[in-house]
Amino acid sequence: MIQIQALNKWFGDHHVLHDVDLEVAQGEVLVVIGPSGSGKSTLCRCLNRLESASSGTIRIDGVPVPEEGRELARLRADVGMVFQSFNLFQHKTVLENVVLAPMKVRGVGRAEAERTARELLERVGIAEQAGKLPARLSGGQQQRAAIARALAMRPKVMLFDEPTSALDPEMVGEVLDVMAGLAADGMTMVVVTHEMGFARRAADRVVFMDGGRIVETGRPDTFFEAPRTDRARDFLAKVLTH
Amino acid sequence: MSVLLDHLPEFWEGLVVTLQLTAASFAGAAVLGLVVTSMRVSPVAVLRGIGTAYVETFQNLPLLVLLVLAVFGLPEIGIKADLLVTAVVVIAVYEAAYIAEALRSGVNAVSAGQGEAARALGLTFGQSLRHVVLPQALRTVIQPLGNVFIALTMNTSLAAAVGVVDLTAAANRVNLIEAQPIPIFVGAGLAYALVAACVGLVTGRLERRLVTAG
Ligand SMILES: Nc1ncnc2c1ncn2[C@@H]1O[C@H](COP(=O)(O)OP(=O)(O)O)[C@@H](O)[C@H]1O
Ligand SMILES: [Mg+2]
């Protein structure tokens, strides 16, 4: 579903991604972990070209990610993204947030878009919040609304960049539950997270990044029980004791 | 006061012309200002350059010079247009630079994540600007835009200098006959103040409606 080959990214002369090669299969749930500044967000953002790659190729469903314009917009429509800071449209109600892209990008009629939106809001457990502005919702509800908004485009892939890092601890679970449900339904997912419990529970594969490189990758059980590299061992020792 | 009442028809006609100038150049400046703002925040470097050059140019030229140039210069090169239309176009082009500047500060006040989320959903740059960024930007710039609009109302009086018979020109004419500058120009001044107050009200309401219509 996703093929990344020899991906490099520089910000000025700061080399943020080094020769990253990665494949994500259809229906696979890939969890990306690693210390802050290791390039996880940048990798995620390169996948839908919110950041442009400096070199290398990225293919989504066999198609190279277009450079710009309508082609790029079309690709992004098929790749859902969930941000750490939710980024719900502040001036629109939850329902309007969810129907905007299906109506403007896919040309779906309002009645159908609203029907789908209400189903999705039901699915993420916030149906009764449909008419409220985002600022009226808790962080956990906002993030679930953001997931519903992304799902409304019926994406082939979902990208999550630390979706629970901005949440109060008591709200983390409700968001992870929605994500685990998606994973169980067979969605292809790339999830950057520090929630090791989620990684163990829902991931098919874990990728550990450090210094802009993929240092280790493996099945969650083997990775967490017996990391092969020192850097992964150090990292796990730090996050698991905290 | 009686001097104002005696010449009410002249004042009225002048006021109507001022209102036409104001309303038409408002509309033109708003549309053009939106276009220039879109260029200035566009991902295409050339468009950004043009947008910035536009704003820099018109903020650094006196409106009166532009009016004189257009009204007396354009016929020289064979472009003949109605005097009022010329004045409207020049004022709109000039004020668009100020509207663009106000709008851009509003766009900058909207967090980058809003536009990113819109683009991540597959909206084009133009769609994300129109449906997500600008409606939120407008909300933060109602006050500065109102100020631009009021300055525009006052600036329409410069059209009198190139022969448009607006409120200022009408006051001037009446004064040439009656030689009572204080009541005549205080009266005209009050009329401008009233127009400015109305413009403030109308734009405030208009933008609020734009915002809620999303
Ligand atoms: N827009 C940017 N401009 C310059 N440097 C950036 C930018 N975004 C990220 N970086 C740098 O790239 C590196 C990787 O960042 P990031 O991908 O956000 O890491 P992570 O998500 O793993 O914490 C960091 O050193 C960060 O400072
Ligand atoms: Mg990050």
Side-chain angles (χ1 to χ4, degrees):
Chain A
M1 180 57 72
I2 304 176
Q3 292 152 321
I4 305 170
Q5 281 168 345
L7 173 64
N8 280 279
K9 175 68 185 176
W10 280 270
F11 285 112
D13 50 13
H14 185 20
H15 198 176
V16 175
L17 293 176
H18 292 258
D19 286 320
V20 172
D21 293 302
L22 188 64
E23 297 214 355
V24 185
Q26 166 101 44
E28 187 175 24
V29 177
L30 182 84
V31 165
V32 181
I33 63 173
S36 169
S38 58
K40 307 180 299 293
S41 295
T42 306
L43 175 63
C44 224
R45 293 163 59 84
C46 281
L47 293 179
N48 65 355
R49 218 166 199 283
L50 284 179
E51 298 291 352
S52 56
S54 302
S55 71
T57 56
I58 299 173
R59 288 165 189 276
I60 308 273
D61 206 11
V63 183
V65 176
E67 301 251 314
E68 57 193 27
R70 293 192 174 273
E71 295 287 308
L72 177 57
R74 208 166 301 144
L75 171 118
R76 284 172 172 160
D78 289 335
V79 179
M81 185 160 201
V82 175
F83 301 85
Q84 181 175 343
S85 49
F86 328 135
N87 293 345
L88 289 173
F89 306 135
Q90 292 299 316
H91 61 307
K92 290 183 181 293
T93 64
V94 168
L95 188 71
E96 291 295 328
N97 265 272
V98 180
V99 299
L100 177 70
M103 289 176 63
K104 300 297 173 193
V105 177
R106 301 258 195 247
V108 177
R110 173 167 286 277
E112 190 192 334
E114 289 196 357
R115 193 165 350 105
T116 313
R118 288 188 192 281
E119 279 167 23
L120 286 166
L121 292 173
E122 185 81 46
R123 179 166 166 196
V124 301
I126 52 167
E128 67 289 356
Q129 314 294 340
K132 292 189 188 165
L133 287 172
R136 302 247 145 207
L137 270 56
S138 73
Q141 290 171 329
Q142 288 191 53
Q143 193 60 296
R144 286 184 282 154
I147 293 172
R149 177 177 70 177
L151 290 176
M153 293 300 283
R154 307 199 180 287
K156 296 174 182 167
V157 183
M158 286 282 287
L159 310 173
F160 295 84
D161 187 5
E162 299 200 29
T164 59
S165 295
L167 297 178
D168 292 335
E170 69 270 22
M171 294 172 185
V172 169
E174 67 197 43
V175 172
L176 293 180
D177 285 345
V178 168
M179 290 165 59
L182 271 181
D185 287 349
M187 175 63 79
T188 308
M189 294 165 57
V190 174
V191 184
V192 176
T193 186
H194 293 295
E195 295 295 329
M196 299 304 152
F198 175 81
R200 280 177 199 268
R201 173 158 65 116
D204 296 309
R205 200 151 50 102
V206 176
V207 162
F208 172 68
M209 287 183 72
D210 194 13
R213 290 187 167 82
I214 292 183
V215 175
E216 185 168 341
T217 154
R219 288 169 46 90
D221 44 3
T222 48
F223 177 79
F224 286 111
E225 297 316 319
R228 280 174 281 118
T229 57
D230 290 342
R231 278 195 279 179
R233 229 182 331 268
D234 287 351
F235 176 76
L236 286 179
K238 270 184 219 139
V239 292
L240 293 178
T241 52
H242 278 195
Chain B
M1 275 319 275
S2 68
V3 65
L4 294 179
L5 295 177
D6 291 346
H7 294 277
L8 211 49
E10 288 101 311
F11 278 111
W12 177 249
E13 276 167 33
L15 181 62
V16 168
V17 170
T18 289
L19 289 176
Q20 287 172 335
L21 264 179
T22 305
S25 42
F26 266 7
V31 172
L32 202 55
L34 264 176
V35 172
V36 172
T37 304
S38 308
M39 289 168 84
R40 290 187 87 186
V41 298
S42 125
V44 183
V46 178
L47 293 181
R48 278 203 305 276
I50 296 173
T52 305
Y54 185 99
V55 172
E56 296 282 322
T57 305
F58 288 106
Q59 284 194 330
N60 288 303
L61 286 173
L63 177 55
L64 186 56
V65 169
L66 293 173
L67 280 167
V68 170
L69 254 179
V71 170
F72 302 109
L74 289 181
E76 294 274 305
I77 56 168
I79 301 173
K80 283 208 159 67
D82 181 72
L83 181 59
L84 191 63
V85 172
T86 308
V88 164
V89 171
V90 171
I91 295 172
V93 164
Y94 174 83
E95 295 288 345
Y98 292 87
I99 289 183
E101 195 64 3
L103 281 179
R104 193 180 65 142
S105 73
V107 169
N108 289 345
V110 177
S111 86
Q114 295 284 304
E116 283 186 352
R119 280 178 285 129
L121 283 164
L123 275 76
T124 61
F125 174 77
Q127 286 176 320
S128 74
L129 211 53
R130 171 151 169 245
H131 298 295
V132 175
V133 178
L134 282 176
Q136 295 185 64
L138 276 178
R139 184 183 290 182
T140 68
V141 295
I142 291 173
Q143 198 56 42
L145 275 184
N147 293 342
V148 171
F149 284 178
I150 287 164
L152 183 151
T153 311
M154 305 305 162
N155 278 342
T156 60
S157 67
L158 289 174
V162 291
V164 176
V165 189
D166 69 343
L167 183 57
T168 301
N172 218 358
R173 285 183 180 189
V174 171
N175 188 44
L176 287 178
I177 299 165
E178 301 285 350
Q180 296 188 44
I182 292 184
I184 290 171
F185 285 102
V186 166
L190 285 176
Y192 277 108
L194 200 69
V195 173
C198 292
V199 167
L201 272 176
V202 168
T203 52
R205 198 170 290 176
L206 196 84
E207 258 114 44
R208 237 164 290 140
R209 195 184 310 161
L210 262 178
V211 167
T212 46

